[in-house]
Each structure stands twice: as C-alpha cells, then as structure tokens.
C-alpha cells in the first residue's frame, strides 16, 4: 500500500516560485488522489505488500486488469513523493556535488549544457508529463515521460524530476510553462540529488 507523505516543508515554503495554493491542491488533492486510487487498485492482491517503486519497476508482472491503474496511480504516487523532496526553499537547496558536476561535464559539456537539455525535455513534452535526469546503466541521461510514467519502469533511476502537468504551474504562470521551468531551478534541492547520485553509484 502507498502512504501519502507529508510535505517536507510548509505549503508556502517554495514561494515565490511555487505558490501556496498550488502546493495545497497539488499535495492534498492530486497526490492524495493518486495514493488513494493506487491503494484501491492493489487492495486484496499480493501487490499490496510490495513497495510501490518495486511494482513500477516490474509492471509486466502486474495483473492485466489493474495494470493501467497501477501504472498511472502508482506512478503518480511515486513521482510526487520524490518531487516534494527534489525541492527546497529558495537559497536552501545547495549545489551539485563535485562528483555530479564532473558527470555533467562528461555528458553534457557542463552544468549549463545539462540545464539546457533538461529544459528542452520539459518544454518539449506535449501535454502532461515529466522531465527527468536519470542514471541509465551508470551514465547520466535526460529524458521525459508522458502522464505519470516513471523512468523506473524503463530500468532507469530517477535523480531529479520536474512535473510539467498544468496543475503544477497554471495558477501562477498560466500557460507559461517556460517561465515555470526557468524559475523552478531556484528551488531545486541539490542536496537530495547528490544523495541519490551517490547511493546509485
Ligand atoms: Mn502533479
């Protein structure tokens, strides 16, 4: 079963980048909704006892009649649980570690190259989805997914993800996804990304 985590900060902690009303709705309605629907889908099956991320990494073994519900709502649960931790109040998120910066250099020609790739993934995703920095067979890679699909289902480890569903930015930015993405860098929690990168090595 999935359990809705509390936000690791107050609803207004990410102001002015992400507004309080958006955070309330996003966590208390959207994330809570995915959690509830995932639990309803797996209730009474052997999946109920397994960690959600493990189930998502092995979707082929999920009974076909609940596979779509598990993929969408399990993905929604997992992605948002990580998303809250990938953010911190402006000025509190730290910097990428030297090790991670070396990998940015190797893969993208530097931090700016990474940022450009990631931004393109976020803006290039038509409709709802996510942009990701992942570890794929030990190498960094940028990608995007549709809907609530997670890189875990493709055997990749998410290190950083950005929700580009309109519900994550519309109240403050309207249809201006580019402004949302540009501002979002100010609240990235690099300490968390560094930790995930270290433990995935
Ligand atoms: Mn969302």
């Amino acid at each position: 079963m999935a359990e809705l985590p509390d936000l690791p900060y107050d609803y207004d902690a990410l102001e002015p980048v992400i507004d309080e009303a958006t955070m309330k709705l996003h966590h208390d309605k959207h994330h809570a909704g995915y959690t509830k629907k995932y639990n309803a889908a797996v209730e009474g099956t052997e999946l109920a006892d397994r960690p959600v991320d493990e189930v998502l990494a092995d979707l082929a073994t999920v009974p076909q009649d609940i596979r779509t519900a598990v993929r969408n709502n399990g993905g929604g649960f997992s992605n948002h649980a990580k998303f809250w931790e990938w953010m911190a109040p402006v000025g509190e998120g730290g910097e990428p570690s030297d090790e991670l910066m070396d990998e940015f250099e190797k893969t993208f020609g530097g931090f700016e190259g990474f940022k450009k790739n990631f931004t393109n993934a976020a803006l290039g995703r038509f409709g709802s989805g996510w942009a990701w920095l992942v570890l794929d067979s030990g190498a960094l890679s940028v990608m995007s997914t549709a809907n609530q699909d997670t890189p875990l289902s493709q055997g990749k480890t998410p290190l950083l993800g950005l929700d580009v569903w309109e519900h994550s930015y519309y109240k403050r930015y309207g249809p201006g996804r580019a402004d949302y993405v540009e501002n979002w860098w100010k609240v990235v929690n690099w300490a968390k990304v560094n930790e995930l990168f270290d433990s995935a090595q």
Side-chain angles (χ1 to χ4, degrees):
M1 305 293 270
E3 194 184 340
L4 180 70
D6 289 334
L7 287 180
Y9 33 68
D10 293 333
Y11 291 111
D12 64 355
L14 304 179
E15 293 271 9
V17 175
I18 302 178
D19 58 288
E20 180 176 7
T22 294
M23 289 302 288
K24 263 194 179 140
L25 197 67
H26 205 171
H27 177 270
D28 296 2
K29 300 294 180 193
H30 291 275
H31 197 189
Y34 295 125
T35 306
K36 200 174 153 193
K37 287 179 188 161
Y38 176 81
N39 288 336
V42 300
E43 197 180 357
T45 75
E46 57 93 25
L47 299 177
D49 299 327
R50 290 169 61 191
V52 181
D53 280 2
E54 194 186 297
V55 173
L56 292 168
D58 202 10
L59 279 177
T61 66
V62 174
Q64 211 170 353
D65 60 326
I66 60 169
R67 195 176 299 158
T68 301
V70 164
R71 176 176 173 176
N72 291 336
N73 296 299
F77 167 77
S78 168
N79 293 343
H80 289 88
K82 295 175 174 61
F83 187 49
W84 311 137
E85 297 206 347
W86 279 322
M87 298 187 287
V90 175
E92 292 182 20
E95 301 285 337
S97 65
D98 291 347
E99 292 77 14
L100 187 54
M101 285 300 268
D102 285 348
E103 290 301 310
F104 283 147
E105 186 70 42
K106 227 188 278 177
T107 311
F108 307 104
F111 181 73
E112 286 307 315
F114 155 66
K115 208 169 148 180
K116 198 173 155 205
N117 266 266
F118 190 96
T119 299
N120 287 343
L123 300 185
R125 167 53 54 191
F126 185 75
S128 298
W130 292 73
W132 302 99
L133 170 68
V134 299
L135 261 184
D136 180 9
S137 307
L140 291 186
S141 178
V142 160
M143 61 182 283
S144 79
T145 56
N147 304 315
Q148 294 296 352
D149 288 351
T150 161
L152 292 169
S153 303
Q154 300 176 33
K156 297 165 186 171
T157 306
L159 299 178
L160 178 65
L162 171 58
D163 190 342
V164 296
W165 283 57
E166 282 188 345
H167 67 229
S168 64
Y169 62 87
Y170 208 86
K171 272 179 189 289
R172 171 141 298 173
Y173 297 92
R177 188 189 286 184
D179 293 336
Y180 161 64
V181 173
E182 194 185 321
N183 271 332
W184 178 75
W185 295 105
K186 297 175 193 160
V187 293
V188 172
N189 184 8
W190 288 106
K192 183 66 191 179
V193 181
N194 294 337
E195 181 194 315
L196 291 170
F197 179 65
D198 285 348
S199 60
Q201 291 298 291

